[in-house]
Short mmCIF file of all heavy atoms in Angstrom, two decimals:
data_model
loop_
_atom_site.label_atom_id
_atom_site.label_comp_id
_atom_site.label_asym_id
_atom_site.label_seq_id
_atom_site.Cartn_x
_atom_site.Cartn_y
_atom_site.Cartn_z
N GLY A 106 -4.81 -6.82 6.15
CA GLY A 106 -6.17 -6.88 5.63
C GLY A 106 -7.14 -7.45 6.66
O GLY A 106 -6.72 -8.03 7.66
N GLU A 107 -8.43 -7.29 6.39
CA GLU A 107 -9.44 -7.91 7.24
C GLU A 107 -9.32 -9.44 7.18
O GLU A 107 -9.82 -10.15 8.05
CB GLU A 107 -10.84 -7.46 6.80
CG GLU A 107 -11.10 -6.01 7.13
CD GLU A 107 -12.35 -5.44 6.47
OE1 GLU A 107 -12.85 -6.01 5.49
OE2 GLU A 107 -12.81 -4.39 6.96
N ASN A 108 -8.62 -9.94 6.15
CA ASN A 108 -8.35 -11.38 6.03
C ASN A 108 -7.16 -11.82 6.89
O ASN A 108 -6.72 -12.96 6.78
CB ASN A 108 -8.09 -11.73 4.56
CG ASN A 108 -6.90 -10.96 3.98
OD1 ASN A 108 -6.20 -10.24 4.70
ND2 ASN A 108 -6.68 -11.08 2.69
N ARG A 109 -6.64 -10.90 7.72
CA ARG A 109 -5.51 -11.14 8.64
C ARG A 109 -4.18 -11.34 7.94
O ARG A 109 -3.21 -11.73 8.57
CB ARG A 109 -5.76 -12.36 9.57
CG ARG A 109 -7.12 -12.44 10.23
CD ARG A 109 -7.47 -11.23 11.06
NE ARG A 109 -6.62 -11.06 12.23
CZ ARG A 109 -6.38 -9.88 12.81
NH1 ARG A 109 -6.86 -8.78 12.29
NH2 ARG A 109 -5.62 -9.81 13.88
N LYS A 110 -4.10 -11.11 6.64
CA LYS A 110 -2.82 -11.21 5.94
C LYS A 110 -2.02 -9.93 6.16
O LYS A 110 -2.56 -8.83 6.10
CB LYS A 110 -3.04 -11.44 4.44
CG LYS A 110 -3.57 -12.84 4.13
CD LYS A 110 -3.10 -13.28 2.75
CE LYS A 110 -3.36 -14.78 2.55
NZ LYS A 110 -4.76 -15.07 2.23
N LEU A 111 -0.72 -10.10 6.41
CA LEU A 111 0.16 -8.97 6.71
C LEU A 111 1.19 -8.82 5.59
O LEU A 111 1.78 -9.80 5.15
CB LEU A 111 0.88 -9.24 8.05
CG LEU A 111 2.06 -8.32 8.42
CD1 LEU A 111 1.57 -6.92 8.76
CD2 LEU A 111 2.82 -8.90 9.61
N ALA A 112 1.39 -7.60 5.13
CA ALA A 112 2.46 -7.32 4.17
C ALA A 112 3.37 -6.26 4.78
O ALA A 112 2.89 -5.32 5.42
CB ALA A 112 1.87 -6.81 2.85
N ILE A 113 4.67 -6.42 4.60
CA ILE A 113 5.64 -5.44 5.10
C ILE A 113 6.62 -5.13 3.98
O ILE A 113 7.14 -6.04 3.34
CB ILE A 113 6.42 -6.00 6.32
CG1 ILE A 113 5.46 -6.22 7.49
CG2 ILE A 113 7.57 -5.07 6.71
CD1 ILE A 113 6.11 -6.75 8.75
N TYR A 114 6.86 -3.85 3.71
CA TYR A 114 7.87 -3.49 2.73
C TYR A 114 8.40 -2.09 2.97
O TYR A 114 7.82 -1.31 3.74
CB TYR A 114 7.35 -3.66 1.29
CG TYR A 114 6.01 -3.06 1.01
CD1 TYR A 114 5.88 -1.73 0.64
CD2 TYR A 114 4.86 -3.83 1.09
CE1 TYR A 114 4.65 -1.19 0.37
CE2 TYR A 114 3.62 -3.29 0.82
CZ TYR A 114 3.51 -1.97 0.46
OH TYR A 114 2.29 -1.44 0.20
N PRO A 115 9.53 -1.75 2.33
CA PRO A 115 10.16 -0.44 2.57
C PRO A 115 9.22 0.72 2.23
O PRO A 115 8.52 0.69 1.22
CB PRO A 115 11.37 -0.45 1.64
CG PRO A 115 11.66 -1.89 1.40
CD PRO A 115 10.34 -2.58 1.41
N ILE A 116 9.26 1.71 3.09
CA ILE A 116 8.37 2.85 2.95
C ILE A 116 8.66 3.65 1.68
O ILE A 116 7.78 4.29 1.13
CB ILE A 116 8.47 3.73 4.22
CG1 ILE A 116 7.15 4.37 4.53
CG2 ILE A 116 9.60 4.70 4.17
CD1 ILE A 116 7.05 4.86 5.95
N ASP A 117 9.92 3.57 1.21
CA ASP A 117 10.24 4.36 0.01
C ASP A 117 9.63 3.76 -1.26
O ASP A 117 9.75 4.32 -2.34
CB ASP A 117 11.76 4.59 -0.14
CG ASP A 117 12.56 3.31 -0.10
OD1 ASP A 117 11.97 2.23 -0.31
OD2 ASP A 117 13.78 3.39 0.15
N GLN A 118 8.96 2.61 -1.14
CA GLN A 118 8.22 2.06 -2.28
C GLN A 118 6.82 2.68 -2.41
O GLN A 118 6.13 2.45 -3.39
CB GLN A 118 8.10 0.54 -2.15
CG GLN A 118 9.43 -0.17 -2.33
CD GLN A 118 9.29 -1.68 -2.26
OE1 GLN A 118 8.20 -2.24 -2.32
NE2 GLN A 118 10.43 -2.36 -2.13
N VAL A 119 6.42 3.45 -1.39
CA VAL A 119 5.11 4.10 -1.45
C VAL A 119 5.29 5.47 -2.10
O VAL A 119 6.04 6.30 -1.59
CB VAL A 119 4.52 4.27 -0.02
CG1 VAL A 119 3.14 4.89 -0.09
CG2 VAL A 119 4.49 2.93 0.71
N PRO A 120 4.63 5.73 -3.24
CA PRO A 120 4.86 6.99 -3.94
C PRO A 120 4.27 8.20 -3.22
O PRO A 120 3.31 8.07 -2.46
CB PRO A 120 4.15 6.78 -5.28
CG PRO A 120 3.06 5.80 -4.98
CD PRO A 120 3.61 4.90 -3.91
N HIS A 121 4.86 9.35 -3.48
CA HIS A 121 4.31 10.63 -3.02
C HIS A 121 3.43 11.19 -4.13
O HIS A 121 3.83 11.22 -5.29
CB HIS A 121 5.43 11.63 -2.72
CG HIS A 121 5.96 11.50 -1.33
ND1 HIS A 121 6.87 10.53 -0.97
CD2 HIS A 121 5.68 12.21 -0.20
CE1 HIS A 121 7.15 10.65 0.33
NE2 HIS A 121 6.44 11.66 0.81
N MET A 122 2.24 11.64 -3.78
CA MET A 122 1.33 12.24 -4.74
C MET A 122 0.64 13.42 -4.06
O MET A 122 0.68 13.54 -2.84
CB MET A 122 0.28 11.22 -5.20
CG MET A 122 0.87 9.99 -5.87
SD MET A 122 -0.36 8.68 -6.15
CE MET A 122 -1.23 9.33 -7.56
N THR A 123 0.01 14.27 -4.85
CA THR A 123 -0.79 15.33 -4.26
C THR A 123 -2.27 15.06 -4.49
O THR A 123 -3.13 15.65 -3.84
CB THR A 123 -0.44 16.71 -4.85
OG1 THR A 123 -0.50 16.61 -6.28
CG2 THR A 123 0.95 17.14 -4.44
N ARG A 124 -2.57 14.14 -5.42
CA ARG A 124 -3.95 13.76 -5.68
C ARG A 124 -3.97 12.49 -6.51
O ARG A 124 -3.13 12.31 -7.38
CB ARG A 124 -4.66 14.88 -6.44
CG ARG A 124 -6.12 14.57 -6.77
CD ARG A 124 -6.69 15.54 -7.78
NE ARG A 124 -7.94 15.01 -8.28
CZ ARG A 124 -9.14 15.58 -8.08
NH1 ARG A 124 -9.23 16.68 -7.39
NH2 ARG A 124 -10.22 15.03 -8.58
N GLY A 125 -4.92 11.61 -6.23
CA GLY A 125 -5.07 10.43 -7.07
C GLY A 125 -5.65 9.26 -6.32
O GLY A 125 -6.03 9.37 -5.16
N LYS A 126 -5.75 8.12 -7.04
CA LYS A 126 -6.26 6.89 -6.43
C LYS A 126 -5.17 6.21 -5.62
O LYS A 126 -5.45 5.41 -4.73
CB LYS A 126 -6.71 5.92 -7.53
CG LYS A 126 -8.12 6.14 -7.99
CD LYS A 126 -8.58 4.98 -8.86
CE LYS A 126 -10.08 5.04 -9.04
NZ LYS A 126 -10.60 4.05 -9.97
N GLY A 127 -3.93 6.49 -5.98
CA GLY A 127 -2.82 5.84 -5.30
C GLY A 127 -2.47 4.51 -5.96
O GLY A 127 -3.01 4.17 -7.02
N VAL A 128 -1.58 3.78 -5.32
CA VAL A 128 -1.15 2.48 -5.84
C VAL A 128 -1.68 1.40 -4.92
O VAL A 128 -2.04 1.66 -3.77
CB VAL A 128 0.39 2.39 -5.94
CG1 VAL A 128 0.93 3.44 -6.89
CG2 VAL A 128 1.04 2.54 -4.57
N ARG A 129 -1.69 0.19 -5.41
CA ARG A 129 -2.20 -0.94 -4.63
C ARG A 129 -1.14 -1.32 -3.59
O ARG A 129 -0.10 -1.86 -3.93
CB ARG A 129 -2.44 -2.11 -5.59
CG ARG A 129 -2.98 -3.33 -4.95
CD ARG A 129 -4.44 -3.25 -4.61
NE ARG A 129 -5.31 -3.25 -5.78
CZ ARG A 129 -6.61 -3.00 -5.71
NH1 ARG A 129 -7.17 -2.71 -4.55
NH2 ARG A 129 -7.35 -3.02 -6.80
N LEU A 130 -1.40 -1.00 -2.33
CA LEU A 130 -0.45 -1.31 -1.26
C LEU A 130 -0.65 -2.74 -0.76
O LEU A 130 0.27 -3.37 -0.28
CB LEU A 130 -0.61 -0.32 -0.10
CG LEU A 130 -0.35 1.15 -0.46
CD1 LEU A 130 -0.68 2.06 0.71
CD2 LEU A 130 1.08 1.36 -0.91
N GLN A 131 -1.88 -3.23 -0.85
CA GLN A 131 -2.17 -4.63 -0.54
C GLN A 131 -3.43 -5.01 -1.31
O GLN A 131 -4.33 -4.20 -1.45
CB GLN A 131 -2.39 -4.83 0.97
CG GLN A 131 -2.38 -6.30 1.39
CD GLN A 131 -2.55 -6.50 2.89
OE1 GLN A 131 -3.11 -5.66 3.57
NE2 GLN A 131 -2.09 -7.63 3.40
N LYS A 132 -3.44 -6.25 -1.81
CA LYS A 132 -4.57 -6.71 -2.63
C LYS A 132 -5.46 -7.64 -1.81
O LYS A 132 -4.96 -8.46 -1.05
CB LYS A 132 -4.01 -7.47 -3.85
CG LYS A 132 -4.90 -7.39 -5.06
CD LYS A 132 -4.21 -8.03 -6.26
CE LYS A 132 -5.24 -8.20 -7.35
NZ LYS A 132 -5.02 -7.46 -8.54
#
């Protein structure tokens, strides 16, 4: 983030979509 906080997690937790807002990857 612009707040310099770093998050790391497995890529398979990121969903596949063809359209949408997506999921919150970092808050």
Side-chain angles (χ1 to χ4, degrees):
E107 289 169 341
N108 59 6
R109 314 303 294 153
K110 289 210 168 78
L111 168 70
I113 295 181
Y114 48 87
I116 213 162
D117 54 18
Q118 291 182 13
V119 183
H121 274 80
M122 300 171 77
T123 52
R124 179 193 166 115
K126 274 192 167 174
V128 298
R129 181 76 69 190
L130 299 174
Q131 193 178 25
K132 209 174 168 116

